[in-house]
Amino acid sequence: GAGVSQTPSNKVTEKGKYVELRCDPISGHTALYWYRQSLGQGPEFLIYFQGTGAADDSGLPNDRFFAVRPEGSVSTLKIQRTERGDSAVYLCASSPWHYNEQFFGPGTRLTVL
Amino acid sequence: AQKITQTQPGMFVQEKEAVTLDCTYDTSDQSYGLFWYKQPSSGEMIFLIYQGSYDEQNATEGRYSLNFQKARKSANLVISASQLGDSAMYFCAMREGIGGGSQGNLIFGKGTKLSVKP
């Protein structure tokens, strides 16, 4: 079956712009996580969805970051007024339940100029 | 304080030899899980192996084994018979227990870059 997919694979934007990053989890997986990986670092947790609701958004760095999962499947991470410090690889992961192994997508590399 | 510490930024190993990648963790939870992921240059995180805090046996998956020493809070990854394709970044990660308020998110270390020499 298909794995986790993320689009776009690369996104270059200018400081101050708005971006949307999409994650399509494995079919049937109810748990969905977003992580951010800066250069030379391990991934850092951003937000977790169980079904349609954000069960834990404690990792979002500030209110410029927002994520939705309206139908309990595809999720979109939204970043307003992007800053150069937002440049990173954004990883999405899904699992059948929140205590199972997480399956990661290939990531979206965001570059803010 | 770091919850996951990987002290080896880079490691070299000769093809066909075994290598150990170090990981220590810090948690006050009794129930937690430890994971190792591989990240090749393509960027995708590939799950390798899992160890639960209550598992008495060390986890093994093919050429991967996890040397779990609970009292020392260490969870080292052992790769036997290294192959050229094992060259990648390796991340140790922990999922804390429900008692600590965890919703299952993983806490990652900074990783170890493994290079396998022919």
Side-chain angles (χ1 to χ4, degrees), chain A residues 4 33 35 37 40-45 48 55-56 89 91 97-107, chain B residues 31 35 37 39 42-47 91 95-98 101-111:
Chain A
V4 178
Y33 298 83
Y35 294 85
Q37 187 175 21
Q41 303 292 320
E44 292 180 313
F45 168 71
Y48 156 63
D56 183 357
V89 175
L91 294 165
W97 183 62
H98 69 295
Y99 253 64
N100 286 71
E101 161 204 342
Q102 295 177 22
F103 297 85
F104 282 79
Chain B
S31 174
F35 299 76
Y37 280 84
Q39 189 176 44
S42 59
E44 192 157 352
M45 299 288 282
I46 302 167
F47 167 75
F91 290 96
R95 180 196 64 214
E96 292 186 296
I98 295 173
S102 170
Q103 296 281 2
N105 59 283
L106 299 176
I107 303 165
F108 286 86
K110 292 189 174 183

Side-chain angles (χ1 to χ4, degrees), chain A residues 36-44 87-89 91 109, chain B residues 2 4-10 39-41 43 45 89-92 108-113:
Chain A
R36 178 168 73 173
Q37 187 175 21
S38 301
L39 197 62
Q41 303 292 320
E44 292 180 313
S87 296
V89 175
L91 294 165
R109 182 176 298 278
Chain B
Q2 294 270 358
I4 297 287
T5 302
Q6 295 181 253
T7 57
Q8 308 150 313
Q39 189 176 44
S41 55
M45 299 288 282
M89 285 292 291
Y90 288 80
F91 290 96
C92 179
F108 286 86
K110 292 189 174 183
T112 295
K113 183 173 182 178

